[in-house]
Each structure stands twice: as C-alpha cells, then as structure tokens.
C-alpha cells in the first residue's frame, strides 16, 4: 500500500533529492524528510527475477572469509564487520553498499553462504549508513541486487529477517519513486524501480507508472539505430544485462510487454552484435575498459531473432564491414569519451589484429588521459614540429589530456559484388575545424584484402598553407607478432593461430614502434604499432598470406580500385 501526505509532495521530492545528492542538512531536518516521505509498503515476493549472469562461486568463499574484492581492490575485515572498515576508494564503498556481491554468495550454493548473506544484510540494515550508501545509483543497484537475490535469501528465512528485508526494499524504492535524478541517473533509477514494481507484493499499483518512467529514460538514451547516446558499447551491454531479466520475468508471467520498452530491447540487441568481434568481446571504442566476453555471450544468447547488424549506424556514428572471416569496425561519429575520429579495429575470425588501446578501468590520471586521445587509436594524428607555446602536439604517447570535442566525422558504406567500401571524413583533424582527414577503406568479398587510403587537406585558403604532416597509426593486438621487412616497405604479421597477413604502404615513411594495450588488463600490456608518417595522401593494405603455391589470380580477389 501507498501512504502519501498530499500536502507536501514537491517539498518531499526536493528534500530527498538534496539528501541523496550529498547535501549535509542539519539533523533536525532529517526527521522531516522521513515524515513527509511517501511510504511504500512491501509485503512479500510476488514474481522472482532471475539474473542473466550467475555469480562467481569462487568469490563466495572469499566473501565468506570476510575478504571483499570490489572495484579492483581487496579489503579484509578479519573478525570484524566489513561495513566498519575504512573503504580504500569510493568506488569500492559504492559496490559494497550496492549489494551486487549477493549474487556471488548465491552462486556458492551452500547453506553457510546463505546464512552469511543474511547476516550481512541484517547487519547493514541495523547500521547508520554513510553518504555513499544513500546515493541514488547505489540505492538503485541495491534494489536490483535485493530483488535478484530474494529467492536465495528468503528460502527458509525467519519471519524477522523477511520483515527487515522487505522494509529495506520499501525504503529504497520509496526514495527511487520520488527523487529527481540527474540525467545520467534516470535510467538506473527507473530500471530499479521497475524491478521492484514487478517483483514484490505491495507495489502492483505502481507498475504502470514505473514502466512509463523506464520507457521515457530509454527513449532519451537509446538511439534510433539501437546505439547508446554515450556512444560507448559497454553502456549498451550493461543496460541489456538489466533489461533482459526484467523482460524474461514478464514473459514468464504471461504479461504484455510494454511496447516502447520491448522495442528498445529489440533495437539494442542487433546493435550490440554490431560491436562484437569474432572472439565474442566488445570493440574498444569511446571508453570501453573490458571486452566483457562473458557478459556479451550471455546477452547475445538471449537474442532469438538474430538480427543482422547494420553496415552503417548513422545515429551511433559507427560503420561495420564484414566479409568472410574478416571484420572491420570504424568510428565515424563525434567525439565523446575519447577522441577517435575515423579510428577502426580489424579482426580475422577470433583473432584481433588492429585495435585501439582501450581505456584502463583502474589506472593513474596520466594513463587515462593518454588513452582518450587520438594517438591511442588506430587513426591519423597531426604532426606539428612547432606546437604553440605551452602545448604538446597530439603526436606522441602518452600526451596531453583531451579537450572538449566538437562535431566532426561522417561516413557512408556502399556495397558491390567486389566487397564493401567505407568513405569517411573527419572535418576537424587535430581539433582544427576545416583541416580534413578523408579515409576510404575497402574490404574484399573474400575478406582477404583490406585496403585504405588516407588524405589530408588543409583548411587554409591563403595559397601559402603548408601540407599537413600526419602520422597514421595501426595499433596491433599483443598476440600479433610483427616484423618490419628489410627494405622498410612492409610488415609481416603473424597471428596466434600462425596465419599471416602482409602490410604494405606508400606515400609515407613506414616504421614499427612500441605501443600498449589497456583493454581488460589490470596493467598495460606491451604491444606494437605500425606508423606511417607523411602528407597529402597515404595508401596502405593488409593482405592475407595464402598457404598455396599456384600464382593464379584468385577469383575472389578484388579488382583495381582508386585506393
């Protein structure tokens, strides 16, 4: 049931929003918020929601020994309470109070794990909570974790624990129902409230409104082609990890799926497949910190329609060329978390060949800033011998932090019997509007031939503009062994399965240099990058080395093209 003091709904919402934003009001005002807060009442579990990903049973043993590895840091509480320790970082505290660790204890499968989980929840309820525990995203995570873990926690639980547990859900759901979230908090808050309204008894009357809020949040963040407004593929995956269990619960109960909600899911699934390499991991664009292979496989395993990915996702700003076993994913949109105009990744079946460096999940500010700039991506950067005083050029590793991006890139994909051709333009090469980087890429129908042409055009029209000097970079995956030819005209690439590719270029000086790979690793991994330095026009090609002797023309070989 819902009890609301109708005289003060606006004051209630503003007060709760202020408290959850960390405003430290005097203690005398806190009771007013609790008094005016619309009180929701939860009486039981009506409809369970099953997590898409099971927890890690190995972590259950660690948690049982009071050692909590969260957000990249492990803390041991010894014989004391884990909630009494000083957190090593706010991210660690947010995960602790977000209760996602409950799924790992559930995966342990033993009665001692269930008893320990109940003890932790009961202890948390009895304590005063720090500010991070009251933050809206943490509340949202706690509600979702509580709903997903409810069958595990409540099996054989005494009435006193059941009462405490449902009061905890009701208290957090109350805040979610009235708070005014920031834009980036709207979807997590709406998703968690929809979880509660779907799963627990007492909130049935709020279910329609909960899904209306969820649909409004999805409409604001999910683009027409299924991509996420942040342009970060990992955001898309994380949203689907929440939405698919919710949709499955509605289907299991033979309930009608809300139209906008279901349509958003159906758009996102093919777009997520768009970003999947042959190794079932995410491409490293716009802030991706991990390939999230396990999560990606779980989500795509729920895709019964198997919708074919687009070749060009204009709203998300990406292009995809797939032929044979070869796959190219290119960024042809605006900068967001990273400056990566016209950057691309290239894989051969399950083997990544050309990559972007990725963004570290936990590293120093220097590494994070370096990973976001164009030089950390497989694209072109401007070489300026004499940069303005006090500034470093974009060329180099690592370098200066990223400036605020400008609208910049466009692209178009055309298909023919010979293969797929991407034509793309960066309208602000080196962050200078008017300086153009034009990149054409052609992938043959066999997938054995990837060719590219990069052109650099100065925006100055005074007749004395010097030619733009650029460095075209191809960062290689750490598993790729690269050897520069003796004449310096090409590079031999050997993949982990011993298959080979030959890289060649003209129009610039070719070199093989050091690089790093940050994706999905606790520390940077050494790798290599191919760099071509030149001006005007640079042509390059990756050609698969065939394991056969006849020198007859392959029927699937692409014809001569203007690349």
């Amino acid at each position: 049931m819902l009890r609301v003091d109708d005289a003060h709904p606006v004051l209630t919402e503003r007060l709760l929003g202020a408290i959850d934003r960390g405003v430290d009001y005097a203690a005398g005002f806190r009771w007013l918020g609790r008094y005016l807060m619309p009180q929701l009442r939860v009486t039981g579990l009506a409809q369970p929601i099953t997590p898409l990903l099971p927890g890690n049973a190995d972590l259950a043993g660690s948690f049982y020994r009071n050692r909590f590895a969260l957000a990249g840091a492990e803390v041991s509480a010894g014989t004391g309470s884990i909630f009494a320790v000083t957190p090593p970082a706010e991210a660690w505290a947010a995960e602790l109070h977000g209760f996602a660790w409950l799924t790992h204890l559930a995966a342990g499968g033993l009665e001692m794990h269930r008893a320990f989980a109940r003890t932790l929840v009961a202890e948390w309820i009895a304590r005063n909570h720090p500010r991070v525990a009251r933050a809206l995203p943490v509340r949202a995570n706690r509600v979702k974790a509580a709903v997903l873990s409810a069958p595990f926690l409540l099996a054989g639980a005494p009435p006193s624990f059941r009462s405490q547990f449902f009061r905890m859900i009701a208290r957090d759901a109350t805040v979610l129902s009235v708070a005014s979230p920031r834009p980036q908090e709207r979807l997590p808050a709406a998703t968690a409230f929809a979880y509660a309204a779907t799963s627990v008894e007492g909130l049935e009357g709020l279910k329609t409104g909960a899904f209306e809020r969820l649909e409004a949040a999805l409409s604001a963040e999910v683009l027409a082609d299924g991509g996420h407004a942040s342009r970060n593929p990992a955001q898309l995956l994380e949203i689907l990890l929440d939405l698919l269990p919710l949709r499955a619960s509605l289907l299991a109960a033979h309930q009608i799926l809300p139209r906008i909600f279901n349509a958003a899911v159906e758009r996102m699934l093919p777009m997520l497949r768009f970003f999947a390499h042959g190794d079932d991991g995410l491409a490293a664009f716009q802030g991706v910190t991990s390939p999230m292979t396990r999560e990606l496989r779980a989500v795509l395993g729920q895709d019964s329609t198997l919708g074919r990915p687009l070749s060009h996702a204009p709203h998300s700003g990406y292009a995809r060329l797939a032929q044979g076993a070869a796959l190219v994913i290119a960024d042809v949109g605006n900068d967001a978390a990273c400056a990566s105009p016209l950057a691309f990744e290239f894989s051969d079946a399950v083997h990544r060949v050309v990559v972007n460096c990725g963004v570290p999940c936990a590293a120093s500010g220097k590494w994070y800033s370096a990973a976001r700039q164009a030089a950390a991506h497989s694209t072109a950067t401007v070489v300026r011998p004499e940069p303005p005083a006090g500034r470093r050029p974009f060329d180099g590793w690592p370098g200066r932090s990223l400036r605020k991006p400008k609208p910049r890139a466009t692209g178009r994909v055309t298909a023919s019997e010979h293969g797929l051709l991407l034509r793309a333009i960066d309208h602000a090469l080196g962050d200078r509007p008017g300086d153009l980087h034009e990149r054409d890429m052609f992938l043959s129908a066999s997938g054995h031939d990837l060719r590219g042409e990069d052109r650099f055009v100065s925006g100055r029209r005074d007749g004395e503009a010097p030619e733009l000097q650029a460095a075209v970079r191809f960062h290689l995956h750490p598993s790729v062994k690269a050897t520069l030819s003796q004449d310096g005209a090409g590079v031999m690439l050997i993949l982990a399965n011993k298959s080979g590719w030959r890289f060649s270029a003209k129009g610039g000086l070719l070199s093989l240099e050091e690089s790093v790979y940050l994706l999905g690793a606790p520390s940077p991994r050494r790798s290599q990058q191919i760099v071509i330095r030149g001006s005007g026009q640079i042509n390059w090609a990756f050609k698969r080395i065939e394991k056969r002797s006849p020198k007859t023309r392959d029927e699937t070989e692409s014809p001569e093209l203007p690349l």
Side-chain angles (χ1 to χ4, degrees), residues 60-336:
S62 177
F63 291 155
Y64 187 76
R65 293 188 292 273
N66 226 9
R67 293 202 300 266
F68 280 69
L70 306 170
E74 182 172 315
V75 173
S76 176
T79 58
S81 170
I82 191 65
F83 301 111
V85 302
T86 301
E90 186 170 338
W92 186 93
E95 286 199 16
L96 177 68
H97 294 283
F99 280 23
W101 40 265
L102 281 173
T103 60
H104 302 303
L105 286 170
L110 300 178
E111 192 60 35
M112 66 179 188
H113 296 139
R114 192 193 320 273
F116 183 63
R118 285 183 194 147
T119 299
L120 289 174
V121 171
E123 182 182 351
W124 184 90
I125 292 172
R127 283 181 168 270
N128 291 322
H129 306 133
R131 182 178 299 173
V132 66
R134 301 192 303 269
L136 205 61
V138 177
R139 286 188 191 270
N141 289 337
R142 192 162 54 242
V143 167
K144 287 186 295 184
V147 167
L148 293 171
S149 303
F152 163 70
L153 289 170
L154 298 177
S160 59
F161 176 81
R162 296 176 67 92
S163 177
Q164 288 180 324
F165 179 71
F166 287 127
R167 279 202 300 270
M168 178 189 74
I169 294 178
R171 184 166 57 247
D172 284 332
T174 296
V175 175
L176 293 175
S177 69
V178 299
S180 298
R182 299 181 180 94
Q184 66 271 25
E185 298 171 347
R186 287 172 187 163
L187 183 54
T191 302
F193 192 58
Y195 263 61
T198 299
S199 183
V200 298
E201 295 175 350
L203 306 186
E204 297 88 348
L206 303 178
K207 188 173 180 179
T208 299
F211 273 93
E212 287 176 353
R213 287 177 56 185
L214 177 57
E215 289 181 323
L218 286 171
S219 298
E221 294 195 25
V222 179
L223 305 174
D225 56 22
H228 190 260
S230 69
R231 306 194 62 235
N232 184 337
Q235 290 290 323
L236 201 64
L237 178 52
E238 290 171 359
I239 292 170
L240 283 168
L241 284 170
D242 285 339
L243 298 188
L244 288 176
L246 184 58
R247 187 173 76 159
S249 178
L250 295 176
L251 290 172
H254 305 289
Q255 297 179 12
I256 297 175
L257 296 176
R259 182 181 60 83
I260 298 175
F261 163 77
N262 191 54
V265 172
E266 293 298 324
R267 292 200 310 277
M268 285 189 283
L269 284 169
M271 194 62 205
L272 185 63
R273 197 178 296 278
F274 181 106
F275 292 113
H277 278 292
D279 61 0
D280 293 336
L282 286 177
F285 288 100
Q286 296 301 336
V288 172
T289 61
S290 167
M292 301 179 72
T293 302
R294 178 171 174 260
E295 294 86 345
L296 186 60
R297 286 174 178 166
V299 168
L300 294 182
Q302 300 296 308
D303 183 8
S304 58
T305 61
L306 299 177
R308 186 176 180 180
L310 302 168
S311 293
H312 182 209
H315 299 89
S316 299
Y318 290 97
R320 187 178 192 269
L321 311 179
Q323 298 281 24
L327 172 64
V328 173
I329 305 173
D331 186 339
V332 292
N334 297 333
D335 291 346

